[in-house]
Amino acid sequence: ELADGGTIFLDEIGDMRVKKQAKVLRVLQEQTLEAVGGVNRIKVDARVLAATNKDLQAEIRAGNFREDLYFRLNVVPIFVPPLRERQEDIPLLADHFLAEFSREYGRRLKHFDSAATVALQRYAWPGNVRELRNVIERLMIMVPGEEVSRDDLSFLDLTHAEPARQSAVPVERLTLLEARDRFERDLILQTLGEQQGNMSRTADVLGV
C-alpha cells in the first residue's frame, strides 16, 4: 500500500514459500490487496523489482517456485555475474570501500600493494561483494600502517585462490580425478556463494 505510485523491492524472492507466492501473484495480477484483518480491497499501482541468488528455473522444476509467478516477474531480467567473474572490478570496489571506511572510522586512507591486489583478484569470493566489503572493513580496522600487503590477507584461504585467467592451467594437464575434484570444489564454492554462506541450503541445492 505504501508503494502505491512508486516502487517495491522484493529481495530473495526465491526463498518465499509457495503459499505466499500465490498471494503475491494475485496482487500482481489484480493490482489490489487486502490489509491483514481488513475487508476492503485496496487498489495499488507499483513498480515491482525482485531479486534472488537462486536458479528459479531449477526451483520451478523442483516444485519450489511457481512458474506463473516467474513469468509475471521476469519482464526485464538483469543478470549480475559473481565477483569472481569480474576480476577487473575488484580493485575498484576495494578502493571504494577503503575510502568509505576511512571516512567512517576517521582514519588515513590505506592502499594495497601489488601482491595484495593480485591476491584479491585471485580469491574466489564465495560471498561476493558483501564478503569483499567485510574484508575491507576488517583491514581498515586491523592493519596499522597505510599499506595493505598480501600477508595482511592471511585470514583468507589464498592457498586455494583462483589462478589468474591468463595463466590458468590448461585442462589437458589435469588427470580425470584432478579435473573432477576441481569442478566439484568450484561448484560447491559457487553454490555456497549463491546461498550467502548458508551450508544447509547449499547442501539441499546440491542434493548432498
mmCIF file of all heavy atoms in Angstrom, residues 6-53:
data_model
loop_
_atom_site.group_PDB
_atom_site.id
_atom_site.type_symbol
_atom_site.label_atom_id
_atom_site.label_comp_id
_atom_site.label_asym_id
_atom_site.label_seq_id
_atom_site.Cartn_x
_atom_site.Cartn_y
_atom_site.Cartn_z
ATOM 1 N N GLY A 6 4.810 4.123 -6.584
ATOM 2 C CA GLY A 6 6.263 4.077 -6.520
ATOM 3 C C GLY A 6 6.795 2.701 -6.849
ATOM 4 O O GLY A 6 6.297 2.018 -7.743
ATOM 5 N N THR A 7 7.805 2.279 -6.102
ATOM 6 C CA THR A 7 8.499 1.016 -6.370
ATOM 7 C C THR A 7 8.612 0.196 -5.097
ATOM 8 O O THR A 7 8.870 0.743 -4.020
ATOM 9 C CB THR A 7 9.915 1.282 -6.923
ATOM 10 O OG1 THR A 7 9.812 2.070 -8.108
ATOM 11 C CG2 THR A 7 10.637 -0.018 -7.245
ATOM 12 N N ILE A 8 8.421 -1.117 -5.218
ATOM 13 C CA ILE A 8 8.638 -2.029 -4.092
ATOM 14 C C ILE A 8 9.679 -3.066 -4.509
ATOM 15 O O ILE A 8 9.662 -3.561 -5.640
ATOM 16 C CB ILE A 8 7.324 -2.711 -3.640
ATOM 17 C CG1 ILE A 8 7.560 -3.527 -2.375
ATOM 18 C CG2 ILE A 8 6.726 -3.566 -4.747
ATOM 19 C CD1 ILE A 8 6.276 -4.003 -1.703
ATOM 20 N N PHE A 9 10.614 -3.354 -3.612
ATOM 21 C CA PHE A 9 11.696 -4.300 -3.893
ATOM 22 C C PHE A 9 11.484 -5.557 -3.061
ATOM 23 O O PHE A 9 11.423 -5.493 -1.830
ATOM 24 C CB PHE A 9 13.048 -3.655 -3.557
ATOM 25 C CG PHE A 9 14.222 -4.587 -3.718
ATOM 26 C CD1 PHE A 9 14.383 -5.340 -4.870
ATOM 27 C CD2 PHE A 9 15.177 -4.693 -2.717
ATOM 28 C CE1 PHE A 9 15.461 -6.185 -5.024
ATOM 29 C CE2 PHE A 9 16.264 -5.541 -2.864
ATOM 30 C CZ PHE A 9 16.414 -6.284 -4.014
ATOM 31 N N LEU A 10 11.354 -6.693 -3.730
ATOM 32 C CA LEU A 10 11.182 -7.974 -3.065
ATOM 33 C C LEU A 10 12.510 -8.725 -3.141
ATOM 34 O O LEU A 10 12.865 -9.262 -4.197
ATOM 35 C CB LEU A 10 10.065 -8.781 -3.734
ATOM 36 C CG LEU A 10 8.705 -8.076 -3.875
ATOM 37 C CD1 LEU A 10 7.723 -8.969 -4.637
ATOM 38 C CD2 LEU A 10 8.150 -7.696 -2.511
ATOM 39 N N ASP A 11 13.247 -8.752 -2.046
ATOM 40 C CA ASP A 11 14.563 -9.389 -2.034
ATOM 41 C C ASP A 11 14.421 -10.879 -1.729
ATOM 42 O O ASP A 11 13.530 -11.283 -0.973
ATOM 43 C CB ASP A 11 15.453 -8.716 -0.987
ATOM 44 C CG ASP A 11 16.923 -8.993 -1.227
ATOM 45 O OD1 ASP A 11 17.252 -9.555 -2.289
ATOM 46 O OD2 ASP A 11 17.745 -8.636 -0.359
ATOM 47 N N GLU A 12 15.312 -11.679 -2.302
ATOM 48 C CA GLU A 12 15.329 -13.134 -2.105
ATOM 49 C C GLU A 12 13.958 -13.754 -2.364
ATOM 50 O O GLU A 12 13.434 -14.520 -1.556
ATOM 51 C CB GLU A 12 15.832 -13.474 -0.692
ATOM 52 C CG GLU A 12 17.226 -12.959 -0.375
ATOM 53 C CD GLU A 12 18.304 -13.524 -1.299
ATOM 54 O OE1 GLU A 12 18.011 -14.460 -2.062
ATOM 55 O OE2 GLU A 12 19.430 -13.015 -1.266
ATOM 56 N N ILE A 13 13.399 -13.410 -3.498
ATOM 57 C CA ILE A 13 12.063 -13.907 -3.856
ATOM 58 C C ILE A 13 12.055 -15.425 -3.958
ATOM 59 O O ILE A 13 11.032 -16.081 -3.735
ATOM 60 C CB ILE A 13 11.602 -13.267 -5.192
ATOM 61 C CG1 ILE A 13 10.117 -13.544 -5.473
ATOM 62 C CG2 ILE A 13 12.459 -13.754 -6.364
ATOM 63 C CD1 ILE A 13 9.193 -12.686 -4.679
ATOM 64 N N GLY A 14 13.216 -16.027 -4.258
ATOM 65 C CA GLY A 14 13.291 -17.480 -4.390
ATOM 66 C C GLY A 14 13.134 -18.222 -3.083
ATOM 67 O O GLY A 14 12.919 -19.442 -3.083
ATOM 68 N N ASP A 15 13.249 -17.516 -1.951
ATOM 69 C CA ASP A 15 13.095 -18.149 -0.644
ATOM 70 C C ASP A 15 11.647 -18.110 -0.137
ATOM 71 O O ASP A 15 11.351 -18.636 0.938
ATOM 72 C CB ASP A 15 13.996 -17.457 0.388
ATOM 73 C CG ASP A 15 15.473 -17.695 0.103
ATOM 74 O OD1 ASP A 15 15.786 -18.684 -0.574
ATOM 75 O OD2 ASP A 15 16.303 -16.887 0.559
ATOM 76 N N MET A 16 10.771 -17.478 -0.877
ATOM 77 C CA MET A 16 9.374 -17.347 -0.453
ATOM 78 C C MET A 16 8.655 -18.692 -0.567
ATOM 79 O O MET A 16 8.827 -19.435 -1.539
ATOM 80 C CB MET A 16 8.663 -16.307 -1.312
ATOM 81 C CG MET A 16 7.227 -16.037 -0.898
ATOM 82 S SD MET A 16 6.460 -14.746 -1.927
ATOM 83 C CE MET A 16 7.377 -13.310 -1.409
ATOM 84 N N ARG A 17 7.861 -19.008 0.435
ATOM 85 C CA ARG A 17 7.100 -20.258 0.412
ATOM 86 C C ARG A 17 6.041 -20.215 -0.687
ATOM 87 O O ARG A 17 5.537 -19.157 -1.048
ATOM 88 C CB ARG A 17 6.434 -20.481 1.768
ATOM 89 C CG ARG A 17 7.435 -20.715 2.900
ATOM 90 C CD ARG A 17 6.738 -20.906 4.221
ATOM 91 N NE ARG A 17 7.686 -21.126 5.302
ATOM 92 C CZ ARG A 17 7.350 -21.268 6.585
ATOM 93 N NH1 ARG A 17 6.077 -21.214 6.936
ATOM 94 N NH2 ARG A 17 8.287 -21.461 7.499
ATOM 95 N N VAL A 18 5.731 -21.394 -1.203
ATOM 96 C CA VAL A 18 4.819 -21.485 -2.345
ATOM 97 C C VAL A 18 3.461 -20.867 -2.019
ATOM 98 O O VAL A 18 2.851 -20.200 -2.866
ATOM 99 C CB VAL A 18 4.658 -22.961 -2.783
ATOM 100 C CG1 VAL A 18 3.619 -23.073 -3.891
ATOM 101 C CG2 VAL A 18 5.996 -23.526 -3.250
ATOM 102 N N LYS A 19 2.976 -21.044 -0.795
ATOM 103 C CA LYS A 19 1.679 -20.483 -0.410
ATOM 104 C C LYS A 19 1.707 -18.962 -0.468
ATOM 105 O O LYS A 19 0.757 -18.309 -0.923
ATOM 106 C CB LYS A 19 1.317 -20.953 1.006
ATOM 107 C CG LYS A 19 -0.076 -20.546 1.454
ATOM 108 C CD LYS A 19 -0.403 -21.118 2.823
ATOM 109 C CE LYS A 19 -1.799 -20.706 3.276
ATOM 110 N NZ LYS A 19 -2.126 -21.254 4.632
ATOM 111 N N LYS A 20 2.816 -18.379 -0.032
ATOM 112 C CA LYS A 20 2.954 -16.914 -0.093
ATOM 113 C C LYS A 20 3.080 -16.463 -1.548
ATOM 114 O O LYS A 20 2.625 -15.371 -1.908
ATOM 115 C CB LYS A 20 4.183 -16.478 0.700
ATOM 116 C CG LYS A 20 4.091 -16.736 2.200
ATOM 117 C CD LYS A 20 3.494 -15.553 2.910
ATOM 118 C CE LYS A 20 3.441 -15.797 4.423
ATOM 119 N NZ LYS A 20 4.757 -15.697 5.055
ATOM 120 N N GLN A 21 3.737 -17.277 -2.369
ATOM 121 C CA GLN A 21 3.902 -16.918 -3.781
ATOM 122 C C GLN A 21 2.545 -16.734 -4.455
ATOM 123 O O GLN A 21 2.362 -15.838 -5.283
ATOM 124 C CB GLN A 21 4.703 -18.000 -4.508
ATOM 125 C CG GLN A 21 6.154 -18.116 -4.072
ATOM 126 C CD GLN A 21 6.826 -19.317 -4.707
ATOM 127 O OE1 GLN A 21 6.445 -19.765 -5.787
ATOM 128 N NE2 GLN A 21 7.839 -19.845 -4.041
ATOM 129 N N ALA A 22 1.583 -17.567 -4.096
ATOM 130 C CA ALA A 22 0.252 -17.476 -4.684
ATOM 131 C C ALA A 22 -0.402 -16.135 -4.343
ATOM 132 O O ALA A 22 -1.067 -15.516 -5.186
ATOM 133 C CB ALA A 22 -0.620 -18.629 -4.205
ATOM 134 N N LYS A 23 -0.173 -15.670 -3.115
ATOM 135 C CA LYS A 23 -0.759 -14.393 -2.701
ATOM 136 C C LYS A 23 -0.112 -13.225 -3.422
ATOM 137 O O LYS A 23 -0.787 -12.274 -3.841
ATOM 138 C CB LYS A 23 -0.615 -14.238 -1.189
ATOM 139 C CG LYS A 23 -1.392 -15.276 -0.393
ATOM 140 C CD LYS A 23 -1.225 -15.064 1.105
ATOM 141 C CE LYS A 23 -2.035 -16.092 1.889
ATOM 142 N NZ LYS A 23 -1.897 -15.900 3.362
ATOM 143 N N VAL A 24 1.222 -13.301 -3.582
ATOM 144 C CA VAL A 24 1.926 -12.237 -4.301
ATOM 145 C C VAL A 24 1.483 -12.208 -5.758
ATOM 146 O O VAL A 24 1.268 -11.140 -6.335
ATOM 147 C CB VAL A 24 3.454 -12.444 -4.194
ATOM 148 C CG1 VAL A 24 4.187 -11.486 -5.133
ATOM 149 C CG2 VAL A 24 3.919 -12.240 -2.771
ATOM 150 N N LEU A 25 1.323 -13.387 -6.352
ATOM 151 C CA LEU A 25 0.873 -13.462 -7.747
ATOM 152 C C LEU A 25 -0.495 -12.810 -7.906
ATOM 153 O O LEU A 25 -0.729 -12.071 -8.865
ATOM 154 C CB LEU A 25 0.828 -14.922 -8.199
ATOM 155 C CG LEU A 25 0.309 -15.154 -9.617
ATOM 156 C CD1 LEU A 25 1.225 -14.504 -10.645
ATOM 157 C CD2 LEU A 25 0.169 -16.657 -9.890
ATOM 158 N N ARG A 26 -1.374 -13.056 -6.960
ATOM 159 C CA ARG A 26 -2.720 -12.475 -7.053
ATOM 160 C C ARG A 26 -2.669 -10.949 -6.996
ATOM 161 O O ARG A 26 -3.351 -10.258 -7.748
ATOM 162 C CB ARG A 26 -3.607 -13.017 -5.931
ATOM 163 C CG ARG A 26 -5.070 -12.593 -6.066
ATOM 164 C CD ARG A 26 -5.902 -13.155 -4.944
ATOM 165 N NE ARG A 26 -5.519 -12.571 -3.659
ATOM 166 C CZ ARG A 26 -6.050 -12.945 -2.486
ATOM 167 N NH1 ARG A 26 -6.963 -13.910 -2.450
ATOM 168 N NH2 ARG A 26 -5.665 -12.372 -1.374
ATOM 169 N N VAL A 27 -1.820 -10.419 -6.121
ATOM 170 C CA VAL A 27 -1.680 -8.966 -6.016
ATOM 171 C C VAL A 27 -1.146 -8.385 -7.321
ATOM 172 O O VAL A 27 -1.617 -7.352 -7.811
ATOM 173 C CB VAL A 27 -0.765 -8.593 -4.833
ATOM 174 C CG1 VAL A 27 -0.453 -7.099 -4.850
ATOM 175 C CG2 VAL A 27 -1.398 -8.976 -3.512
ATOM 176 N N LEU A 28 -0.164 -9.061 -7.917
ATOM 177 C CA LEU A 28 0.430 -8.573 -9.158
ATOM 178 C C LEU A 28 -0.574 -8.612 -10.311
ATOM 179 O O LEU A 28 -0.610 -7.713 -11.148
ATOM 180 C CB LEU A 28 1.665 -9.403 -9.508
ATOM 181 C CG LEU A 28 2.856 -9.298 -8.555
ATOM 182 C CD1 LEU A 28 3.973 -10.231 -9.002
ATOM 183 C CD2 LEU A 28 3.361 -7.871 -8.457
ATOM 184 N N GLN A 29 -1.388 -9.652 -10.345
ATOM 185 C CA GLN A 29 -2.345 -9.797 -11.439
ATOM 186 C C GLN A 29 -3.528 -8.840 -11.294
ATOM 187 O O GLN A 29 -3.954 -8.214 -12.264
ATOM 188 C CB GLN A 29 -2.847 -11.241 -11.503
ATOM 189 C CG GLN A 29 -1.801 -12.231 -11.999
ATOM 190 C CD GLN A 29 -2.305 -13.667 -11.969
ATOM 191 O OE1 GLN A 29 -3.162 -14.020 -11.163
ATOM 192 N NE2 GLN A 29 -1.756 -14.504 -12.843
ATOM 193 N N GLU A 30 -4.054 -8.739 -10.064
ATOM 194 C CA GLU A 30 -5.264 -7.944 -9.849
ATOM 195 C C GLU A 30 -4.965 -6.509 -9.469
ATOM 196 O O GLU A 30 -5.855 -5.652 -9.521
ATOM 197 C CB GLU A 30 -6.107 -8.604 -8.752
ATOM 198 C CG GLU A 30 -6.552 -10.022 -9.098
ATOM 199 C CD GLU A 30 -7.325 -10.678 -7.964
ATOM 200 O OE1 GLU A 30 -7.555 -9.998 -6.934
ATOM 201 O OE2 GLU A 30 -7.713 -11.850 -8.107
ATOM 202 N N GLN A 31 -3.720 -6.247 -9.078
ATOM 203 C CA GLN A 31 -3.296 -4.919 -8.608
ATOM 204 C C GLN A 31 -4.178 -4.403 -7.474
ATOM 205 O O GLN A 31 -4.457 -3.209 -7.359
ATOM 206 C CB GLN A 31 -3.283 -3.911 -9.767
ATOM 207 C CG GLN A 31 -2.208 -4.214 -10.812
ATOM 208 C CD GLN A 31 -2.063 -3.131 -11.848
ATOM 209 O OE1 GLN A 31 -3.061 -2.702 -12.434
ATOM 210 N NE2 GLN A 31 -0.849 -2.667 -12.056
ATOM 211 N N THR A 32 -4.599 -5.342 -6.658
ATOM 212 C CA THR A 32 -5.332 -4.996 -5.444
ATOM 213 C C THR A 32 -4.821 -5.858 -4.299
ATOM 214 O O THR A 32 -4.268 -6.944 -4.518
ATOM 215 C CB THR A 32 -6.850 -5.235 -5.597
ATOM 216 O OG1 THR A 32 -7.084 -6.617 -5.862
ATOM 217 C CG2 THR A 32 -7.441 -4.379 -6.709
ATOM 218 N N LEU A 33 -4.974 -5.364 -3.088
ATOM 219 C CA LEU A 33 -4.577 -6.136 -1.919
ATOM 220 C C LEU A 33 -5.578 -5.900 -0.794
ATOM 221 O O LEU A 33 -6.421 -5.003 -0.858
ATOM 222 C CB LEU A 33 -3.155 -5.753 -1.477
ATOM 223 C CG LEU A 33 -2.881 -4.287 -1.110
ATOM 224 C CD1 LEU A 33 -3.208 -4.005 0.359
ATOM 225 C CD2 LEU A 33 -1.418 -3.952 -1.389
ATOM 226 N N GLU A 34 -5.460 -6.737 0.204
ATOM 227 C CA GLU A 34 -6.345 -6.626 1.364
ATOM 228 C C GLU A 34 -5.482 -6.619 2.611
ATOM 229 O O GLU A 34 -4.667 -7.519 2.810
ATOM 230 C CB GLU A 34 -7.315 -7.805 1.384
ATOM 231 C CG GLU A 34 -8.401 -7.700 2.447
ATOM 232 C CD GLU A 34 -9.402 -8.844 2.340
ATOM 233 O OE1 GLU A 34 -9.970 -9.025 1.242
ATOM 234 O OE2 GLU A 34 -9.582 -9.556 3.352
ATOM 235 N N ALA A 35 -5.627 -5.588 3.431
ATOM 236 C CA ALA A 35 -4.817 -5.484 4.640
ATOM 237 C C ALA A 35 -5.165 -6.610 5.603
ATOM 238 O O ALA A 35 -6.285 -7.137 5.601
ATOM 239 C CB ALA A 35 -5.053 -4.134 5.315
ATOM 240 N N VAL A 36 -4.190 -6.990 6.432
ATOM 241 C CA VAL A 36 -4.440 -8.031 7.435
ATOM 242 C C VAL A 36 -5.555 -7.569 8.363
ATOM 243 O O VAL A 36 -5.493 -6.491 8.944
ATOM 244 C CB VAL A 36 -3.146 -8.316 8.237
ATOM 245 C CG1 VAL A 36 -3.444 -9.326 9.353
ATOM 246 C CG2 VAL A 36 -2.044 -8.841 7.328
ATOM 247 N N GLY A 37 -6.584 -8.378 8.472
ATOM 248 C CA GLY A 37 -7.728 -8.020 9.310
ATOM 249 C C GLY A 37 -8.723 -7.098 8.632
ATOM 250 O O GLY A 37 -9.763 -6.771 9.205
ATOM 251 N N GLY A 38 -8.414 -6.683 7.404
ATOM 252 C CA GLY A 38 -9.306 -5.775 6.699
ATOM 253 C C GLY A 38 -10.326 -6.506 5.856
ATOM 254 O O GLY A 38 -10.249 -7.719 5.663
ATOM 255 N N VAL A 39 -11.283 -5.767 5.331
ATOM 256 C CA VAL A 39 -12.334 -6.365 4.496
ATOM 257 C C VAL A 39 -12.415 -5.684 3.135
ATOM 258 O O VAL A 39 -13.071 -6.196 2.227
ATOM 259 C CB VAL A 39 -13.708 -6.287 5.199
ATOM 260 C CG1 VAL A 39 -13.710 -7.160 6.440
ATOM 261 C CG2 VAL A 39 -14.060 -4.850 5.555
ATOM 262 N N ASN A 40 -11.754 -4.540 2.983
ATOM 263 C CA ASN A 40 -11.835 -3.787 1.729
ATOM 264 C C ASN A 40 -10.625 -4.083 0.845
ATOM 265 O O ASN A 40 -9.505 -4.250 1.332
ATOM 266 C CB ASN A 40 -11.909 -2.278 2.023
ATOM 267 C CG ASN A 40 -13.145 -1.908 2.808
ATOM 268 O OD1 ASN A 40 -14.216 -2.458 2.578
ATOM 269 N ND2 ASN A 40 -12.989 -0.978 3.749
ATOM 270 N N ARG A 41 -10.900 -4.115 -0.471
ATOM 271 C CA ARG A 41 -9.822 -4.297 -1.438
ATOM 272 C C ARG A 41 -9.191 -2.934 -1.713
ATOM 273 O O ARG A 41 -9.887 -1.955 -1.945
ATOM 274 C CB ARG A 41 -10.352 -4.892 -2.743
ATOM 275 C CG ARG A 41 -11.113 -6.201 -2.570
ATOM 276 C CD ARG A 41 -10.199 -7.318 -2.117
ATOM 277 N NE ARG A 41 -9.208 -7.663 -3.122
ATOM 278 C CZ ARG A 41 -8.216 -8.529 -2.922
ATOM 279 N NH1 ARG A 41 -8.069 -9.098 -1.739
ATOM 280 N NH2 ARG A 41 -7.369 -8.807 -3.890
ATOM 281 N N ILE A 42 -7.873 -2.872 -1.662
ATOM 282 C CA ILE A 42 -7.141 -1.622 -1.847
ATOM 283 C C ILE A 42 -6.438 -1.670 -3.194
ATOM 284 O O ILE A 42 -5.665 -2.582 -3.477
ATOM 285 C CB ILE A 42 -6.103 -1.424 -0.719
ATOM 286 C CG1 ILE A 42 -6.814 -1.426 0.640
ATOM 287 C CG2 ILE A 42 -5.319 -0.132 -0.920
ATOM 288 C CD1 ILE A 42 -5.852 -1.502 1.816
ATOM 289 N N LYS A 43 -6.676 -0.697 -4.049
ATOM 290 C CA LYS A 43 -6.078 -0.639 -5.372
ATOM 291 C C LYS A 43 -4.656 -0.101 -5.257
ATOM 292 O O LYS A 43 -4.415 0.919 -4.591
ATOM 293 C CB LYS A 43 -6.909 0.267 -6.282
ATOM 294 C CG LYS A 43 -6.411 0.336 -7.728
ATOM 295 C CD LYS A 43 -6.698 -0.946 -8.487
ATOM 296 C CE LYS A 43 -6.316 -0.801 -9.965
ATOM 297 N NZ LYS A 43 -6.494 -2.077 -10.699
ATOM 298 N N VAL A 44 -3.695 -0.781 -5.888
ATOM 299 C CA VAL A 44 -2.305 -0.328 -5.855
ATOM 300 C C VAL A 44 -1.720 -0.369 -7.260
ATOM 301 O O VAL A 44 -2.076 -1.215 -8.072
ATOM 302 C CB VAL A 44 -1.430 -1.201 -4.906
ATOM 303 C CG1 VAL A 44 -1.812 -0.984 -3.454
ATOM 304 C CG2 VAL A 44 -1.519 -2.668 -5.270
ATOM 305 N N ASP A 45 -0.818 0.559 -7.514
ATOM 306 C CA ASP A 45 -0.105 0.601 -8.793
ATOM 307 C C ASP A 45 1.360 0.851 -8.469
ATOM 308 O O ASP A 45 1.753 1.995 -8.208
ATOM 309 C CB ASP A 45 -0.674 1.704 -9.686
ATOM 310 C CG ASP A 45 0.049 1.773 -11.035
ATOM 311 O OD1 ASP A 45 0.763 0.802 -11.363
ATOM 312 O OD2 ASP A 45 -0.086 2.793 -11.726
ATOM 313 N N ALA A 46 2.147 -0.212 -8.468
ATOM 314 C CA ALA A 46 3.547 -0.084 -8.061
ATOM 315 C C ALA A 46 4.457 -0.839 -9.023
ATOM 316 O O ALA A 46 4.088 -1.870 -9.569
ATOM 317 C CB ALA A 46 3.743 -0.618 -6.645
ATOM 318 N N ARG A 47 5.647 -0.285 -9.233
ATOM 319 C CA ARG A 47 6.683 -0.996 -9.988
ATOM 320 C C ARG A 47 7.297 -2.027 -9.046
ATOM 321 O O ARG A 47 7.613 -1.716 -7.904
ATOM 322 C CB ARG A 47 7.751 -0.014 -10.458
ATOM 323 C CG ARG A 47 8.905 -0.672 -11.203
ATOM 324 C CD ARG A 47 10.059 0.306 -11.431
ATOM 325 N NE ARG A 47 9.672 1.381 -12.334
ATOM 326 C CZ ARG A 47 9.492 2.644 -11.960
ATOM 327 N NH1 ARG A 47 9.646 2.970 -10.680
ATOM 328 N NH2 ARG A 47 9.157 3.557 -12.835
ATOM 329 N N VAL A 48 7.460 -3.250 -9.531
ATOM 330 C CA VAL A 48 7.981 -4.331 -8.691
ATOM 331 C C VAL A 48 9.367 -4.757 -9.184
ATOM 332 O O VAL A 48 9.526 -5.109 -10.356
ATOM 333 C CB VAL A 48 7.029 -5.548 -8.695
ATOM 334 C CG1 VAL A 48 7.628 -6.688 -7.873
ATOM 335 C CG2 VAL A 48 5.668 -5.155 -8.153
ATOM 336 N N LEU A 49 10.337 -4.704 -8.279
ATOM 337 C CA LEU A 49 11.667 -5.255 -8.538
ATOM 338 C C LEU A 49 11.832 -6.464 -7.636
ATOM 339 O O LEU A 49 11.511 -6.403 -6.442
ATOM 340 C CB LEU A 49 12.759 -4.230 -8.214
ATOM 341 C CG LEU A 49 12.713 -2.895 -8.956
ATOM 342 C CD1 LEU A 49 13.850 -2.002 -8.475
ATOM 343 C CD2 LEU A 49 12.807 -3.106 -10.448
ATOM 344 N N ALA A 50 12.328 -7.565 -8.192
ATOM 345 C CA ALA A 50 12.536 -8.781 -7.408
ATOM 346 C C ALA A 50 13.947 -9.297 -7.650
ATOM 347 O O ALA A 50 14.483 -9.183 -8.753
ATOM 348 C CB ALA A 50 11.510 -9.854 -7.792
ATOM 349 N N ALA A 51 14.551 -9.840 -6.601
ATOM 350 C CA ALA A 51 15.921 -10.352 -6.711
ATOM 351 C C ALA A 51 16.019 -11.723 -6.059
ATOM 352 O O ALA A 51 15.273 -12.046 -5.125
ATOM 353 C CB ALA A 51 16.907 -9.384 -6.047
ATOM 354 N N THR A 52 16.943 -12.522 -6.566
ATOM 355 C CA THR A 52 17.206 -13.825 -5.976
ATOM 356 C C THR A 52 18.609 -14.264 -6.364
ATOM 357 O O THR A 52 19.137 -13.835 -7.398
ATOM 358 C CB THR A 52 16.190 -14.883 -6.450
ATOM 359 O OG1 THR A 52 16.474 -16.126 -5.816
ATOM 360 C CG2 THR A 52 16.247 -15.062 -7.964
ATOM 361 N N ASN A 53 19.217 -15.095 -5.528
ATOM 362 C CA ASN A 53 20.507 -15.682 -5.900
ATOM 363 C C ASN A 53 20.330 -17.139 -6.329
ATOM 364 O O ASN A 53 21.310 -17.852 -6.521
ATOM 365 C CB ASN A 53 21.513 -15.589 -4.741
ATOM 366 C CG ASN A 53 21.029 -16.300 -3.486
ATOM 367 O OD1 ASN A 53 20.142 -17.141 -3.551
ATOM 368 N ND2 ASN A 53 21.605 -15.971 -2.355
#
